[in-house]
Amino acid sequence: MGLGQLVHRVNETVKLHGDEDKHEDVDAWKNRDLVPLPPDRRTWGFFEYYGYWSLGSLNVATWQMPNTFLTAGLSVGQSMAVIVIARAIVGIFSTFVAWCGLRYHIGFTIQNRFSWGMRGSYIPLIQRVMLNFIWNATQCWTGGKLVAVCLTAIFPSFYNLPNSLPESFPATSYDMVGFFLFWFCSLPFLWIPPEKFRRPFQVICVYCGVNMICMLIWSLSVAKGVGPIFYRSEVGSTRWSTSWLMLKCINSAIGGKAAGMTNGSDFSRYGKTARGYIGGTVASLFATGTMVSFIGLVVTAATQKIYGEIFWNPPDLLMRMMENGQGSSKARAGVFFLAVGFALTSGFENICGNAVAGGVDLAGMFPKYINIRRGAIITFVAAWIVMPWQLINVATTFLTVISSFSVFLAPIMGLMTADFFVVRRQRIKLTALYQLHGIYHYTGGVNWRAIPVWLAGWAPTIGGLAYTAGAKDGGPDALYELYYLSFFLGFFISFFLFILVNHIFPPSNLGDMDDTDVFGALTGDECRRMGVAPRADGALSLEDSSVEKLPIEVAGAKETDRKV
């Protein structure tokens, strides 16, 4: 066998294959996981979305959130108000961004093609892939800490595991064993397709929710009340007024959800109805999210009274509860089950929010060879390349920048929302999203209008980010104030600028739609509402689709659609 034949066989082996009759064929722009989802794969309802958003709340970060705001100088009441306000804003903006997925059943990867161009869509995709790699790795590291607690609860001697790593290495053998086991035990879950997440959502959310309530009951019953931190009012002197501090904290809380908001259509596309998405999202953000932060505050305050110390980090608190493994067998058993709950939530949140999302983004970049599962595996393997032990223990400035990445994501959301709702009035041509030289080719595959608008969205706030990441306090107040408003500024600057640019330089074929449901992705009711003919039996080619000839008024400019 010659080298050319070998390369061809390997290529055919690793290349994806699909069902052409269902438009799941594979080429440079699509595969089964990228085409609009048919009704039989749209299985998510109220409880699935409630579980999806709950996984993002039943975690260590949400538990610790009040500490962040108290440290900034807010009172307990102000901190809880910030949490409620931020979650309301997240619910509103995430629904706007995810609406394209609910209407056309396409994900973030494909949604960007009509805004950025077929090749230009790689700009937001690359950002998302990088974030998925980094957050997956750091989440695995956090989960590894919880696995180490579980091991200590079972084998108390594990806490004193000899460190065989060099002193210059920023972690111990104890840390690395926990990290590896968490990473390895998460791998089997990557084989579960997103449309079958219902059962894991139910089991994990209920288990972890019950665990947190048990911690609350135990801490209050033992402490007979709460410690002084619960009654803490504004502390210390600061150069900022309470209003600016609250804006800073609201921006920070929204920023923590920005990555999940940006690719919201990756999961909204699995929704059976828009009502289920909205209801599950709002209920979870308010009920679960607020409850976890409040429980974290109360448990921390109660254990302050019990131990005389403040433990905001659950793994540290769990270790103290069993005296680093030297406590009673009852204490160790209780800690084990509590740590398992936190670890399960951390693991499945990581799979859903980082690995699966990373899989979709990588599939959009390499559709011939990568589907969601392969992309998720690549994202997980990348955790060893990212080396989270270096990021968490050494590169604190880098992590600060990554945590503030909403500075760059908010303009992307503003641009996407303006394009879908205002510029195109929710009318897109699905078949053209899978054709390089179709109407979304623009100039060389890039929509030049999107790039300067995106840059303008984050340019005013980058100075404040630089001072904040460098832990510098000497910058002009105006830079910090712009940064404390970075999410809102980035979103609305890009939103209005994109409308303006498209009004002055309108692209051709605005408002074009397929007149037939080529992909078989719409129900009969959806076809009637959108004025699209249902797909007849038998496959249609992408070239067979045409568009409705309707007068369109876009951002104040009128244009009559042409058939393409």
Side-chain angles (χ1 to χ4, degrees):
M1 180 186 298
L3 179 60
Q5 290 179 311
L6 177 62
V7 171
H8 177 73
R9 289 188 62 178
V10 171
N11 179 65
E12 288 300 311
T13 300
V14 300
K15 191 164 66 172
L16 298 171
H17 302 280
D19 187 344
E20 294 188 12
D21 289 340
K22 297 181 179 180
H23 277 296
E24 295 176 352
D25 52 314
V26 176
D27 59 32
W29 297 100
K30 67 178 181 296
N31 61 38
R32 181 177 184 269
D33 290 332
L34 297 179
V35 297
L37 283 181
D40 63 322
R41 293 185 65 190
R42 302 203 298 268
T43 58
W44 287 31
F46 174 90
F47 291 104
E48 283 76 18
Y49 286 113
Y50 187 92
Y52 167 71
W53 284 100
S54 291
L55 285 175
S57 299
L58 292 164
N59 56 26
V60 173
T62 307
W63 181 281
Q64 295 175 321
M65 192 173 290
N67 174 48
T68 304
F69 304 150
L70 291 173
T71 303
L74 297 180
S75 67
V76 169
Q78 291 165 346
S79 298
M80 293 307 301
V82 163
I83 291 170
V84 172
I85 294 170
R87 291 191 171 274
I89 294 171
V90 168
I92 294 170
F93 282 85
S94 63
T95 300
F96 278 122
V97 175
W99 199 260
C100 183
L102 290 167
R103 181 174 173 87
Y104 287 100
H105 316 297
I106 56 175
F108 171 79
T109 304
I110 306 303
Q111 183 179 355
N112 278 288
R113 290 179 179 176
F114 62 79
S115 295
W116 292 78
M118 298 297 288
R119 292 194 176 106
S121 63
Y122 291 143
I123 295 174
L125 278 187
I126 291 172
Q127 295 179 59
R128 282 286 311 163
V129 168
M130 290 173 53
L131 281 177
N132 288 325
F133 281 1
I134 294 168
W135 286 127
N136 170 73
T138 54
Q139 190 84 338
C140 283
W141 186 254
T142 300
K145 294 285 189 181
L146 292 162
V147 170
V149 172
C150 292
L151 291 174
T152 303
I154 302 172
F155 310 106
S157 60
F158 179 73
Y159 181 73
N160 298 311
L161 181 72
N163 184 27
S164 57
L165 298 173
E167 289 187 8
S168 59
F169 194 80
T172 64
S173 298
Y174 173 90
D175 297 324
M176 294 304 295
V177 169
F179 172 74
F180 171 77
L181 289 176
F182 180 87
W183 179 87
F184 183 78
C185 292
S186 297
L187 287 177
F189 292 97
L190 300 179
W191 269 259
I192 302 176
E195 54 261 43
K196 296 183 179 179
F197 278 174
R198 180 184 182 92
R199 192 63 63 192
F201 280 163
Q202 291 175 331
V203 173
I204 294 173
C205 289
V206 170
Y207 183 83
C208 190
V210 170
N211 271 0
M212 290 184 175
I213 293 173
C214 289
M215 287 185 72
L216 175 67
I217 295 172
W218 168 81
S219 61
L220 289 176
S221 63
V222 173
K224 309 298 183 186
V226 293
I229 192 174
F230 188 78
Y231 305 104
R232 188 177 189 176
S233 59
E234 298 177 52
V235 296
S237 59
T238 174
R239 64 193 283 191
W240 303 107
S241 66
T242 301
S243 299
W244 275 111
L245 288 177
M246 292 187 72
L247 279 172
K248 171 187 176 181
C249 294
I250 289 172
N251 189 72
S252 173
I254 297 172
K257 297 291 184 183
M261 294 164 63
T262 307
N263 71 323
S265 54
D266 281 342
F267 297 97
S268 66
R269 67 195 293 242
Y270 288 95
K272 292 181 284 188
T273 64
R275 183 180 301 175
Y277 175 86
I278 296 172
T281 299
V282 172
S284 177
L285 286 172
F286 280 103
T288 307
T290 306
M291 179 195 72
V292 171
S293 293
F294 183 73
I295 289 178
L297 174 62
V298 174
V299 170
T300 301
T303 52
Q304 178 190 23
K305 194 173 180 181
I306 297 171
Y307 301 116
E309 300 177 71
I310 297 176
F311 294 97
W312 280 108
N313 190 26
D316 294 340
L317 173 59
L318 293 172
M319 291 297 291
R320 180 65 180 85
M321 287 168 64
M322 64 175 178
E323 298 176 6
N324 296 327
Q326 303 307 310
S328 66
S329 57
K330 290 182 179 180
R332 289 189 288 112
V335 166
F336 171 80
F337 289 110
L338 292 172
V340 165
F342 276 108
L344 283 174
T345 306
S346 182
F348 210 75
E349 179 198 6
N350 191 34
I351 290 167
C352 192
N354 296 319
V356 170
V360 177
D361 294 336
L362 286 169
M365 297 177 69
F366 308 101
K368 279 190 177 181
Y369 302 98
I370 298 179
N371 56 16
I372 289 179
R373 181 179 298 165
R374 290 182 181 181
I377 293 172
I378 292 171
T379 302
F380 244 68
V381 171
W384 294 93
I385 301 173
V386 173
M387 296 185 291
W389 49 89
Q390 294 282 356
L391 296 181
I392 299 241
N393 296 328
V394 178
T396 53
T397 299
F398 178 74
L399 267 188
T400 300
V401 173
I402 294 299
S403 299
S404 304
F405 211 77
S406 61
V407 165
F408 306 102
L409 296 180
I412 293 177
M413 286 187 265
L415 186 156
M416 292 165 58
T417 305
D419 194 22
F420 183 65
F421 285 101
V422 181
V423 176
R424 301 185 188 279
R425 299 188 183 278
Q426 303 185 54
R427 296 170 62 84
I428 59 176
K429 183 175 172 66
L430 284 177
T431 53
L433 294 172
Y434 303 94
Q435 300 168 335
L436 173 59
H437 296 288
I439 62 175
Y440 302 126
H441 182 72
Y442 300 109
T443 305
V446 179
N447 183 4
W448 64 266
R449 302 162 187 81
I451 296 175
V453 167
W454 174 62
L455 294 174
W458 56 260
T461 60
I462 194 67
L465 172 61
Y467 275 103
T468 303
K472 300 175 182 177
D473 296 325
D477 285 358
L479 287 181
Y480 290 104
E481 290 167 354
L482 288 172
Y483 176 64
Y484 295 162
L485 293 168
S486 60
F487 177 83
F488 302 100
L489 285 176
F491 184 96
F492 286 110
I493 288 174
S494 291
F495 182 91
F496 289 113
L497 275 183
F498 197 74
I499 294 172
L500 178 62
V501 171
N502 280 273
H503 177 72
I504 299 173
F505 306 102
S508 61
N509 306 104
L510 282 177
D512 282 7
M513 287 182 65
D514 299 304
D515 64 358
T516 302
D517 178 19
V518 177
F519 295 96
L522 304 177
T523 64
D525 287 341
E526 288 175 322
C527 286
R528 283 190 293 273
R529 286 198 303 267
M530 297 169 66
V532 174
R535 177 183 169 185
D537 291 337
L540 297 171
S541 68
L542 298 187
E543 288 74 19
D544 289 336
S545 64
S546 60
V547 298
E548 300 174 50
K549 302 176 183 178
L550 295 175
I552 302 296
E553 183 174 337
V554 182
K558 291 187 177 180
E559 180 179 339
T560 301
D561 295 334
R562 309 188 293 276
K563 183 175 179 178
V564 294

